[in-house]
Amino acid sequence: MVIISGLLVILLAIIVIFQIALSPAKRAQNTYEAIAKNNGITKTTSFLVSKRAKVYYSVVGKNKKNQNIAVIMHANDKKFKPVVLKMADGLSEYQIRSLVQQRYNPRKVYSAALTIYEGAPAWDVSYLDQKNNLSFATLQFTNGKQLKLIQNL
């Protein structure tokens, strides 16, 4: 009985630590989803984070016309006006992941997130190449053109 009680205490402590560790991320998600709602999102389908030179949060979802849109927001710049994109004007996350698979033949794609690169919307993609090196590709939102490539990290 003592062993079971001890295991329960340990399990409860792990759950509490896990919740505390995730609370800043959840707070950020709630904050930026609220901003996205003020910019046309009525239903969220995904929340994306791009952390390179700057941090951008993106909320992808539907607007009141049931169109797929995304709102890109700069994490630390109050003067930055959220960028609203019609997803039909560019590549979706699925399309960008497929393009990365075809173009770079990665072992694994870790993440794909919307960002702003040189003033224009883009996708930041991180992946593991065939030699187990971490790589990053920045691809134009509208057509997938490679804007920046960092390999062999």
Side-chain angles (χ1 to χ4, degrees):
M1 189 66 168
V2 172
I3 294 173
I4 293 173
S5 297
L7 289 174
L8 286 174
V9 168
I10 291 170
L11 181 62
L12 184 60
I14 290 170
I15 291 170
V16 168
I17 290 168
F18 189 69
Q19 290 295 326
I20 290 169
L22 289 179
S23 65
K26 189 63 179 166
R27 265 195 314 270
Q29 182 174 351
N30 290 340
T31 298
Y32 289 100
E33 282 182 351
I35 294 168
K37 284 184 179 184
N38 289 335
N39 285 275
I41 295 271
T42 56
K43 180 183 176 193
T44 299
T45 55
S46 61
F47 179 74
L48 309 170
V49 181
S50 171
K51 294 180 180 180
R52 294 279 293 279
K54 297 178 181 177
V55 178
Y56 291 94
Y57 293 104
S58 300
V59 178
V60 180
K62 303 273 186 181
N63 64 12
K64 63 184 176 186
K65 295 179 182 176
N66 206 34
Q67 298 168 317
N68 291 320
I69 65 168
V71 180
I72 304 173
M73 297 152 282
H74 189 285
N76 300 313
D77 187 351
K78 303 262 189 230
K79 296 176 186 174
F80 183 86
K81 185 176 183 217
V83 175
V84 180
L85 305 173
K86 288 183 181 176
M87 293 305 290
D89 292 342
L91 300 175
S92 69
E93 182 179 357
Y94 175 80
Q95 291 169 314
I96 217 67
R97 285 175 176 269
S98 295
L99 180 67
V100 166
Q101 285 290 342
Q102 293 169 0
R103 190 177 289 167
Y104 307 110
N105 189 31
R107 185 167 285 196
K108 178 179 175 106
V109 175
Y110 287 120
S111 67
L114 288 163
T115 190
I116 300 296
Y117 181 77
E118 295 183 353
W123 285 99
D124 263 345
V125 183
S126 63
Y127 62 91
L128 188 67
D129 69 16
Q130 290 297 322
K131 296 178 183 174
N132 288 323
N133 295 312
L134 181 61
S135 298
F136 295 94
T138 302
L139 307 171
Q140 195 167 338
F141 168 73
T142 54
N143 60 14
K145 176 184 171 192
Q146 181 181 295
L147 302 172
K148 185 174 185 178
L149 182 63
I150 302 171
Q151 294 179 302
N152 303 322
L153 297 175

